[in-house]
Amino acid sequence: MTTRTIAAVAALLALVSGLQAQAQGFHGAPATASASRNPFAHKPQAIAAGAELYTSNCGACHGRNGRGTGNIPALAHGPAQSATDGELFWFITRGDEDNGMPSWKQLPEDDRWKIIAYVKSLAGAHPGAPPREAPSSAAAGQPAPPVSARAPEPNAPFTDYRFETPGRVRKITLRDLPEPYATQSAHNGPEVVARPRDAWPKAPAGFKVELYATGLDNPRTIRTAPNGDLFVAQSDAGLVRVFRGISSEGKPEQSGIFASGLHRPYGIAFYPPGKDPQWLYVGNEDEVVRFPYKPGEMKAGGAPQHIANLPDGSGHSTRDLQFSADGKKLFVGVGSRSNVDDPDTTPAEKHRADILEFNPDGSGLRVYAYGIRNAGGGLGIEPRTGQLWCSVNERDGLGDNLVPDYITHVQEGGFYGWPWWYMGGHQDPRHPGAHPELKEKVITPDVLLPAHNASLNFTFYQGKQFPAEYQGDIFAAEHGSWNKAVRVGYEVIRVPLHQSGHARGEYQEFLTGFVLDNGDVWGRPVGVAVAPDGSLMVTDDGSGSIWRVSYAGK
Ligand code: HEC
């Protein structure tokens, strides 16, 4: 070979390896990973074994049938289905501890491949498809999840499901925050069980709880239309349903599907604000769309119009929407893709962990507030002050009582810490030395909630039915998480605003009882809305229900 040929070959090799580095696979998997073949692919017996292994090792976090839970990605659809078996093997072997995904290198290789064969067999079990049941852990002869019921009582102000009591007031302050890793990061996802006959949500004395609707696939956000109809986003089913009226048996008088075929719809907003909206906006995972709508319609008046693209591709999938009080701006909550990846070096985090602002026609994209790990679960406009509020899921992996979730009014241009910092000017230990200039900018939210409460949607109580002291207060749904050794959340809380539109840091437990004494979960609140008669409607995607809480008297 001449020197020139050698140089040319070297240049070519450099180019090829450069391209390989660029065309990085799933979660940065190297090209070699992609090439390894799954010895158990499409083998029915291995898939059955993989299903059992999945249930005992993965199901608690990734959900039954791989549909995902909370901020943990689905495996039955999305990026995991586009990845090759080899890439999945590489990723689950390595894990991503900082983002809450354990390494599975302890699991025998064959078992890892069988789980992947099972996960791949779920292709087509897309959102909305009838669930293909994986065996329950009991059926698979696996030991039951650790029973946490005997753990010692947590020190105030922290709590857990065993001590959640309607009416109890709690307040968490910056002084209460433990050091990072004071306790281990828990792996305690809920295996949702059917509601036992005698289990029922518990409300404070004087309130009555009834089952308004059940048998719903994944009811999430609920919003009351100006005419009193109740709109419910069913994310997994890809549709928005409408309920009208309350019969003498406490059931809907009418119901119907407003729109279907949507991509994980969550946010719902009527536009313009006020009595006479012309459009219904829906926050899908990857875009904002809107439907022509007139008050009283139970079916969309036309095809969806595309308004704006939103960042897609795994991670937090809920996109709540809210119009400013004057109707001039649309706010969209977009959660992070990861638990703590650095946006400086992770392009996929662009325009995530933010509250975005648009004009109602989708133009004028701007970051309204940032460093908010996930406000996609809940946005609201406080009626008295017109201020934007949000409900936020904070970080995982730092221990049981860190970092507190929160509910707060949002400062325009405000920085709330993620991922380098958290409230109180604390640096996240996974980003030592990063962005010292932001330390002083981290805003302390109005109301700190137990870490891993998984605070989702909320509403400001404007009904006429509850006692006067409740007027204007926030009711928020706490979905519960996998990252707490003894469960917390799984309830509806009240945040008193003291008839002033401002919170003072305390919250009150309001609707509890979704966790059984042994720690099994049967219900998970997601959305809250006020019905025209003033009762509080609560969606629960654990039991597929809508609960109605009304005030019966002293
Ligand atoms: C303790 C909770 C937990 C358990 C148990 C768990 N995972 Fe994960 N997994 C996560 C989290 C959190 C992520 C998101 C990580 C990220 O953002 O990088 C994840 C990500 C993944 C991804 C990437 C998905 C995507 O769309 O990018 C795959 C694949 C995966 N897990 C497979 C598995 C398998 C298979 C098992 C069982 C052997 C398992 N996981 C067990 C928490 C868990």
Side-chain angles (χ1 to χ4, degrees):
M1 264 196 260
T2 64
T3 341
R4 205 189 264 175
T5 339
I6 291 171
V9 169
L12 195 70
L13 282 177
L15 185 74
V16 168
S17 70
L19 281 178
Q20 271 176 355
Q22 246 182 8
Q24 265 187 350
F26 184 69
H27 287 266
T32 46
S34 186
S36 30
R37 288 195 47 243
N38 186 348
F40 298 103
H42 311 298
K43 300 210 167 123
Q45 260 185 338
I47 291 174
E52 293 189 5
L53 288 160
Y54 174 89
T55 300
S56 43
N57 293 295
C58 328
C61 288
H62 290 283
R64 264 188 216 198
N65 319 300
R67 289 167 129 207
T69 59
N71 59 356
I72 300 187
L75 303 179
H77 56 92
Q81 286 295 334
S82 331
T84 64
D85 286 23
E87 286 174 321
L88 290 174
F89 186 87
W90 177 87
F91 179 68
I92 68 173
T93 302
R94 186 169 157 274
D96 184 354
E97 289 286 350
D98 281 353
N99 286 317
M101 166 65 181
S103 152
W104 296 94
K105 57 174 178 281
Q106 256 71 293
L107 209 62
E109 286 204 7
D110 280 5
D111 287 358
R112 276 175 264 160
W113 285 119
K114 286 176 189 167
I115 292 175
I116 291 166
Y118 165 69
V119 165
K120 280 299 174 73
S121 79
L122 297 172
H126 55 80
R132 240 188 276 171
E133 288 297 324
S136 75
S137 28
Q142 296 296 330
V147 174
S148 44
R150 283 183 301 271
E153 179 166 359
N155 292 326
F158 300 113
T159 186
D160 64 52
Y161 76 93
R162 299 167 301 166
F163 305 97
E164 288 171 356
T165 315
R168 272 287 274 281
V169 175
R170 301 183 190 274
K171 183 173 183 173
I172 299 172
T173 68
L174 291 178
R175 284 190 306 278
D176 300 313
L177 302 194
E179 290 296 312
Y181 310 117
T183 50
Q184 275 190 343
S185 175
H187 291 169
N188 187 25
E191 176 75 31
V192 177
V193 299
R195 180 175 59 79
R197 223 166 263 253
D198 55 347
W200 205 255
K202 298 183 183 68
F207 290 89
K208 181 172 80 180
V209 186
E210 291 165 291
L211 185 57
Y212 178 67
T214 192
L216 301 169
D217 181 5
N218 200 231
R220 304 276 285 172
T221 311
I222 180 165
R223 291 269 153 84
T224 312
N227 77 334
D229 288 347
L230 296 163
F231 281 69
V232 176
Q234 294 183 245
S235 303
D236 281 355
L239 53 89
V240 174
R241 196 182 289 274
V242 194
F243 295 96
R244 177 171 295 167
I246 302 170
S247 72
S248 50
E249 288 84 47
K251 304 292 178 210
E253 277 169 337
Q254 287 179 56
S255 82
I257 293 177
F258 180 80
S260 58
L262 303 170
H263 182 47
R264 300 189 70 74
Y266 185 88
I268 296 176
F270 299 91
Y271 177 79
K275 289 251 167 303
D276 195 22
Q278 307 294 309
W279 301 96
L280 182 105
Y281 281 62
V282 174
N284 289 334
E285 179 171 3
D286 53 351
E287 62 173 342
V288 179
V289 296
R290 70 177 185 184
F291 294 92
Y293 167 73
K294 285 191 185 53
E297 285 179 348
M298 294 187 77
K299 221 173 172 36
Q305 286 184 3
H306 171 82
I307 291 294
N309 288 323
L310 297 175
D312 190 11
S314 150
H316 294 105
S317 65
T318 59
R319 310 280 182 252
D320 202 15
L321 305 179
Q322 222 26 267
F323 282 97
S324 59
D326 62 9
K328 288 192 174 140
K329 297 292 177 190
L330 169 67
F331 300 114
V332 184
V334 182
S336 60
R337 202 212 64 86
S338 65
N339 185 34
V340 284
D341 286 351
D342 192 332
D344 293 345
T345 50
T346 312
E349 292 291 357
K350 187 177 158 79
H351 286 159
R352 302 198 64 156
D354 292 330
I355 295 176
L356 303 177
E357 182 199 86
F358 296 90
N359 297 319
D361 66 0
S363 65
L365 165 63
R366 181 173 87 103
V367 174
Y368 183 79
Y370 67 116
I372 304 178
R373 181 171 172 275
N374 185 18
L379 296 179
I381 301 289
E382 199 285 314
R384 191 181 284 254
T385 57
Q387 276 176 333
L388 177 67
W389 284 63
C390 67
S391 153
V392 176
N393 287 195
E394 257 291 353
R395 267 155 276 198
D396 294 320
L398 294 181
D400 275 345
N401 297 317
L402 213 60
V403 173
D405 280 2
Y406 56 87
I407 291 178
T408 190
H409 83 282
V410 184
Q411 292 182 34
E412 185 171 352
F415 171 61
Y416 290 78
W418 189 90
W420 312 288
W421 298 92
Y422 58 89
M423 60 210 49
H426 293 101
Q427 185 123 51
D428 191 303
R430 295 160 293 197
H431 296 289
H435 288 286
E437 80 288 0
L438 291 175
K439 179 180 164 81
E440 298 304 321
K441 292 188 83 174
V442 189
I443 294 169
T444 300
D446 297 340
V447 185
L448 306 190
L449 301 173
H452 319 298
N453 248 27
S455 192
L456 292 180
N457 234 283
F458 63 94
T459 191
F460 297 91
Y461 188 81
Q462 298 263 285
K464 299 275 178 283
Q465 186 192 100
F466 287 13
E469 57 175 296
Y470 287 86
Q471 208 33 239
D473 288 354
I474 290 174
F475 286 96
E478 310 297 300
H479 196 235
S481 154
W482 55 278
N483 198 219
K484 177 89 169 38
V486 186
R487 300 186 196 298
V488 72
Y490 305 91
E491 61 174 343
V492 174
I493 59 169
R494 167 194 180 198
V495 176
L497 297 188
H498 309 281
Q499 279 74 53
S500 69
H502 301 287
R504 295 183 193 152
E506 81 279 19
Y507 73 94
Q508 185 181 40
E509 284 153 6
F510 184 73
L511 193 68
T512 69
F514 296 94
V515 185
L516 301 173
D517 288 346
N518 67 1
D520 281 352
V521 172
W522 63 263
R524 307 188 73 183
V526 179
V528 195
V530 182
D533 75 340
S535 42
L536 195 72
M537 297 297 203
V538 178
T539 55
D540 150 19
D541 69 356
S543 72
S545 309
I546 303 175
W547 300 94
R548 174 171 168 239
V549 187
S550 45
Y551 187 67
K554 299 152 206 36

